[in-house]
Amino acid sequence: MTRSTTARRFVAALAVPLLIASAAACGGDDSGTPGAVPAVSWEDGKKKPEIEAGVGDPPGKLKVKVLEEGDGRTVRKADFITAHYAGQTWKGKPFDDSYQRKLPSGFPIGTGGVIEGWDKGLVGKTVGSRVELVIPPEMAYGDNPPQGSAIGKGDTLVFTIDIKESVPMAPKGEEVPQDDSALPTVGTNTDAKAPKVTIPEDAQAPGELVSRPIIEGTGEKVTAKDTVLVNYRAVEWNKPESEISTWEGNPAAQMPRGPQEIPVGQMPGWEKGLVGQTVGSRVLIVVPKSEFPKEQQKQANDVVMVVDIMKVQ
């Protein structure tokens, strides 16, 4: 799919960041037994855990062990979690470590946005928990590991994961009637999948900014100073080939799949279109080219945006 100049400018406007133990803790009394969950230990005041190498042949099934149980929100299917994690192969070779980057990462859970072992192993756990996962290759990367990583073909993976936060990706609220035939219609699905956007045939763009809630949430209101965690899609008026979407991602546009944290003031039309809207909402915004910086307006087109607001901060 090709992208137009206007769509490129929306991508270029983004700033995408992404993703306490007691004195000692360990992974369990059976660690050291062939096929058992590897032991995990950490010192008081040190967040990063140490994972021992597995012993013998790895287990053939997914293993999930709660090393510390948090008292926060329960992770549900179609949540977006923020977590610190460390990963290594069964034989003890490290391949990823958010602690080293000093920045937790964000992931959609239960929707196929991560490897199956994370989707199956983290749903039902609570925020604040430290969880160990031993993931067989068929629930990880199988015979197709990421290029350039330390993961080999058929490797079993071992993770420790500290769940920092979990918020719903799907909108939740009251549907608002879409009774203006001159405006695009937007799907009201709440399954954390992309909503369908239909621009009326042969209709002219309104020429001014339009903002309408499609599903009206009951959460915190957005302010102009906020950074919002959102899923969104953008398409130029009557140019479906220009569409970009965080639900699907677009490698060619350097857009990753999954929700993104975006300052409200960074996106054309968002200060007028999102301020006053609430967390849990799905919002339709028609952004006229006059909202773009003056040096871009000659080449810009009107843009239809649909935004699911997950969190403000």
Side-chain angles (χ1 to χ4, degrees), residues 124-148:
K125 304 303 179 287
T126 53
V127 172
S129 294
R130 170 166 284 179
V131 182
E132 181 179 12
L133 301 179
V134 180
I135 305 176
E138 62 270 18
M139 298 181 74
Y141 297 103
D143 290 332
N144 297 290
Q147 289 186 350

Side-chain angles (χ1 to χ4, degrees), residues 1 3 7-8 11-12 14 243-245 249-256:
M1 178 182 291
R3 296 187 305 117
R8 284 192 179 93
V11 175
L14 296 178
E243 182 177 75
I244 55 175
S245 167
N250 189 327
Q254 297 182 338
M255 173 180 281

Side-chain angles (χ1 to χ4, degrees), residues 16 33 51 56 86 227 239 264 269:
V16 185
T33 302
I51 313 170
T227 292
K239 290 187 177 181
V264 170

Side-chain angles (χ1 to χ4, degrees), residues 6-310:
T6 303
R8 284 192 179 93
R9 290 197 179 98
F10 270 99
V11 175
L14 296 178
V16 185
L18 90 176
L19 229 195
I20 303 271
S22 57
C26 66
D29 294 335
D30 60 348
S31 59
T33 302
V37 173
V40 179
S41 61
W42 60 98
E43 297 179 8
D44 188 23
K46 292 186 177 181
K47 294 183 178 181
K48 181 180 177 179
E50 299 294 332
I51 313 170
E52 293 187 5
V55 177
D57 293 332
K61 296 182 179 180
L62 174 69
K63 297 289 186 180
V64 182
K65 187 177 185 69
V66 178
L67 304 174
E68 276 195 342
E69 188 165 4
D71 58 3
R73 182 180 185 274
T74 298
V75 176
R76 297 178 174 88
K77 186 176 180 180
D79 274 4
F80 185 79
I81 70 164
T82 303
H84 261 310
Y85 67 97
Q88 65 185 46
T89 66
W90 175 257
K91 293 182 178 180
K93 182 183 293 186
F95 58 82
D96 201 359
D97 185 347
S98 72
Y99 299 95
Q100 190 174 34
R101 294 190 293 272
K102 298 181 180 180
L103 184 69
S105 297
F107 307 92
I109 289 295
T111 61
V114 290
I115 59 175
E116 186 181 4
W118 276 55
D119 273 347
K120 296 286 180 65
L122 294 182
V123 171
K125 304 303 179 287
T126 53
V127 172
S129 294
R130 170 166 284 179
V131 182
E132 181 179 12
L133 301 179
V134 180
I135 305 176
E138 62 270 18
M139 298 181 74
Y141 297 103
D143 290 332
N144 297 290
Q147 289 186 350
S149 79
I151 302 172
K153 291 183 178 181
D155 271 349
T156 292
L157 307 183
V158 182
F159 289 92
T160 57
I161 302 161
D162 290 340
I163 306 172
K164 300 296 184 182
E165 188 177 32
S166 185
V167 296
M169 286 195 295
K172 184 178 181 180
E174 184 176 350
E175 291 186 19
V176 178
Q178 301 183 61
D179 50 13
D180 190 338
S181 61
L183 292 178
T185 56
V186 180
T188 56
N189 55 298
T190 57
D191 54 3
K193 295 182 180 179
K196 183 179 180 180
V197 180
T198 304
I199 298 174
E201 291 186 11
D202 301 323
Q204 297 294 317
E208 60 183 9
L209 190 138
V210 175
S211 176
R212 299 281 189 276
I214 303 301
I215 297 174
E216 192 165 18
T218 59
E220 185 177 354
K221 286 188 177 182
V222 178
T223 74
K225 296 181 179 180
D226 285 332
T227 292
V228 287
L229 178 67
V230 296
N231 265 318
Y232 79 94
R233 66 191 324 165
V235 59
E236 293 181 36
W237 192 274
N238 288 332
K239 290 187 177 181
E241 70 277 6
S242 68
E243 182 177 75
I244 55 175
S245 167
T246 61
W247 279 279
E248 291 90 2
N250 189 327
Q254 297 182 338
M255 173 180 281
R257 178 184 177 189
Q260 299 180 11
E261 291 182 330
I262 305 172
V264 170
Q266 187 170 305
M267 293 287 273
W270 279 26
E271 281 196 35
K272 295 179 182 178
L274 286 187
V275 169
Q277 304 292 348
T278 52
V279 170
S281 296
R282 172 170 293 160
V283 183
L284 166 69
I285 309 173
V286 182
V287 184
K289 62 182 181 180
S290 59
E291 291 292 327
F292 284 81
K294 289 183 178 180
E295 64 272 15
Q296 298 178 5
Q297 290 178 12
K298 288 184 178 181
Q299 295 177 320
N301 292 313
D302 296 336
V303 174
V304 177
M305 301 199 74
V306 176
V307 185
D308 280 3
I309 309 170
M310 298 164 50

